Amino acid sequence: MTIRKILTKLTIAVLLLTTLCSCGSKEAIEVTITEDCDYNFFQYRENACSNEAVVYFELSDEQMLMFYDKQSGICAPLCGKPECDHSDASCNAYYPSGDGLCLYNGKLYRFYESDKTIVCSDTDGTNKTTVRSVNTTLFTNNFSGSYISNPSSAFHRGWFYYAAGVTVVSAGTTKEYSRVIAYPIDSDEEGTLIYSSDEYKDVAIEPYGDYIYIMAYDDSSDDVNTMEMVRYSVETGESEILYKGEKPFQSRRFCVTDDAIIFGGCTTEDYTIYKLTFGEDTIETVYESTYYYTYGFIGENILLGLYTIDGFDISIIDLDGNTLMATTVIYEDLEAGRFVIPTIMGTDDDYIYIDALVWSNEYPYESIIALSLDGSEQITLWSNADEVNGEG
């Protein structure tokens, strides 16, 4: 298929809006943009980022970076080379095993998990260069093991942060620990170990303002899970423990506000919402219910979702449990018996962005869907359904 035909089909797909069956308030969800945070426009990160005009996201099965222009409605690979198949590093859209994506200082930064390198380009994908490798002595000393679990990364204020748990099996003995390291983005200087624990087997991080917030935890217990919350100062390099004790939920997602940290459970039996207020040493329950999974946060509101046979139920509630939006994302032209795996990539101040894998024959087709925050419209930004199904 030629590039012209692909762009034509993408443009047509973008213009097809599907009105959803929705209930709850039609008022817009308020999104507060934190000016001193490098993740200004996305509320949480799933290999996607955004500014006022463009959304960038990874196609999970294609090793390819896409862009969506909000004004023109164009959605396409981040590559303008004619007849490029986007399959190797010569392509501006090539994105193998990525685990980090950020707009920073007018540039697009990517982290390649496969070879542990940071790549920078202009926002149109051109002038792509390798900024640095993080595969240094610091990295190998802290992440050498039999198994690395749940790696997560973040770009913030000129630094790259990498966190993961490590399991080491030696002579029949198992040892588990978690580490967080930081590297300067625009320098080859060695990085810094900012967090280390032999008590917890997993770790998650979230940048917010002057700090990197670290949640180290162990969810393996059948009795009581435990965790600690640590706040690392970007300016001084000092850390303080905000909380250490029981972890009353099973999730690695959390969000930070000016005065608290919000956590959410993520099982069908429990999407209880918890809060740790700064200056206090206990985690309080602020809302308790069941049914949905906690996918993330929109400002201080909670984004919930659950796949059903009819579609993808999505709800937004506030910390008092009030429903601000509830609707069902309907997959267009979905044949009976096909299995859908939806992933919420993130949200900006306009839409919730959803990556839907639909299993068809031996290979899934993929659709990127934008759902307005009030639940009133659904837009298919991109889909390769026709190509996979032999219709393109």
Side-chain angles (χ1 to χ4, degrees):
M1 182 184 295
T2 65
I3 296 297
R4 181 182 298 276
K5 287 182 179 180
I6 292 174
L7 290 177
T8 300
K9 298 185 81 170
L10 291 173
T11 304
I12 292 173
V14 148
L15 296 175
L16 295 176
L17 305 183
T18 302
T19 302
L20 302 180
C21 174
S22 61
C23 60
S25 172
K26 289 295 190 297
E27 297 296 325
I29 306 299
E30 181 178 353
V31 176
T32 300
I33 296 174
T34 306
E35 296 298 341
D36 61 357
C37 179
D38 296 335
Y39 294 94
N40 285 347
F41 295 91
F42 255 53
Q43 299 298 310
Y44 63 96
R45 294 162 282 113
E46 193 75 45
N47 281 340
C49 63
S50 174
N51 59 22
E52 303 97 326
V54 181
V55 180
Y56 301 89
F57 55 86
E58 175 197 14
L59 290 182
S60 56
D61 275 13
E62 300 290 340
Q63 293 191 323
M64 186 164 61
L65 192 61
M66 304 283 290
F67 77 94
Y68 166 61
D69 185 280
K70 296 180 182 180
Q71 183 174 3
S72 69
I74 295 297
C75 184
L78 190 67
C79 174
K81 300 177 181 178
E83 306 302 329
C84 180
D85 60 6
H86 318 301
S87 62
D88 57 46
S90 64
C91 171
N92 296 331
Y94 182 60
Y95 190 47
S97 60
D99 188 42
L101 194 63
C102 182
L103 288 161
Y104 177 74
N105 276 348
K107 299 287 186 179
L108 180 64
Y109 283 84
R110 315 176 215 179
F111 175 62
Y112 291 169
E113 178 73 46
S114 55
D115 59 5
K116 305 297 185 295
T117 57
I118 297 173
V119 173
C120 173
S121 71
D122 291 339
T123 53
D124 62 358
T126 60
N127 297 318
K128 186 173 67 172
T129 58
T130 297
V131 173
R132 66 163 299 158
S133 170
V134 302
N135 195 20
T136 65
T137 301
L138 175 70
F139 190 96
T140 55
N141 283 349
N142 287 283
F143 295 105
S144 294
S146 304
Y147 177 69
I148 295 180
S149 62
N150 294 324
S152 63
S153 61
F155 293 91
H156 191 61
R157 295 192 173 181
W159 287 75
F160 173 75
Y161 297 87
Y162 184 89
V166 178
T167 300
V168 179
V169 181
S170 177
T173 300
T174 300
K175 181 180 179 181
E176 296 172 321
Y177 54 87
S178 54
R179 301 284 190 268
V180 183
I181 57 179
Y183 286 93
I185 293 176
D186 297 323
S187 167
D188 287 332
E189 294 181 9
E190 182 62 286
T192 303
L193 178 67
I194 69 170
Y195 177 81
S196 174
S197 174
D198 295 335
E199 184 177 355
Y200 304 98
K201 62 183 295 184
D202 274 308
V203 63
I205 58 176
E206 191 68 30
Y208 187 82
D210 295 331
Y211 300 97
I212 304 298
Y213 289 82
I214 302 167
M215 179 174 72
Y217 63 96
D218 187 345
D219 278 348
S220 63
S221 173
D222 293 329
D223 185 16
V224 177
N225 297 315
T226 58
M227 74 171 188
E228 70 177 6
M229 289 298 309
V230 174
R231 180 164 60 188
Y232 170 81
S233 171
V234 175
E235 299 297 326
T236 68
E238 298 178 352
S239 297
E240 60 177 319
I241 297 176
L242 303 177
Y243 171 86
K244 186 178 179 67
E246 182 178 348
K247 183 174 183 281
F249 55 91
Q250 290 189 3
S251 174
R252 59 187 277 110
R253 294 199 188 281
F254 64 94
C255 84
V256 183
T257 71
D258 287 341
D259 58 5
I261 301 172
I262 310 298
F263 310 91
C266 66
T267 69
T268 52
E269 291 78 27
D270 175 20
Y271 71 88
T272 304
I273 308 303
Y274 305 88
K275 181 169 73 170
L276 173 65
T277 302
F278 296 143
E280 300 182 5
D281 58 2
T282 58
I283 294 178
E284 62 176 314
T285 299
V286 295
Y287 180 73
E288 188 172 8
S289 190
T290 57
Y291 181 61
Y292 285 100
Y293 290 93
T294 301
Y295 272 85
F297 305 90
I298 304 178
E300 296 186 25
N301 300 315
I302 313 300
L303 177 61
L304 307 170
L306 183 69
Y307 173 73
T308 70
I309 193 170
D310 298 319
F312 187 33
D313 290 349
I314 289 182
S315 179
I316 301 173
I317 63 173
D318 63 20
L319 293 182
D320 295 321
N322 299 310
T323 298
L324 306 180
M325 185 274 281
T327 192
T328 299
V329 175
I330 304 297
Y331 304 111
E332 300 175 7
D333 302 321
L334 181 63
E335 297 179 7
R338 290 186 173 180
F339 183 64
V340 183
I341 305 175
T343 300
I344 297 180
M345 299 185 295
T347 71
D348 59 15
D349 52 353
D350 297 310
Y351 292 96
I352 301 166
Y353 297 93
I354 303 162
D355 185 352
L357 283 176
V358 181
W359 285 91
S360 168
N361 302 320
E362 297 180 356
Y363 187 80
Y365 64 82
E366 190 168 8
S367 296
I368 305 298
I369 298 167
L371 172 69
S372 62
L373 293 186
D374 66 359
S376 65
E377 66 176 7
Q378 171 185 329
I379 308 172
T380 299
L381 304 182
W382 179 89
S383 178
N384 64 346
D386 287 349
E387 293 179 52
V388 171
N389 295 328
E391 300 173 12

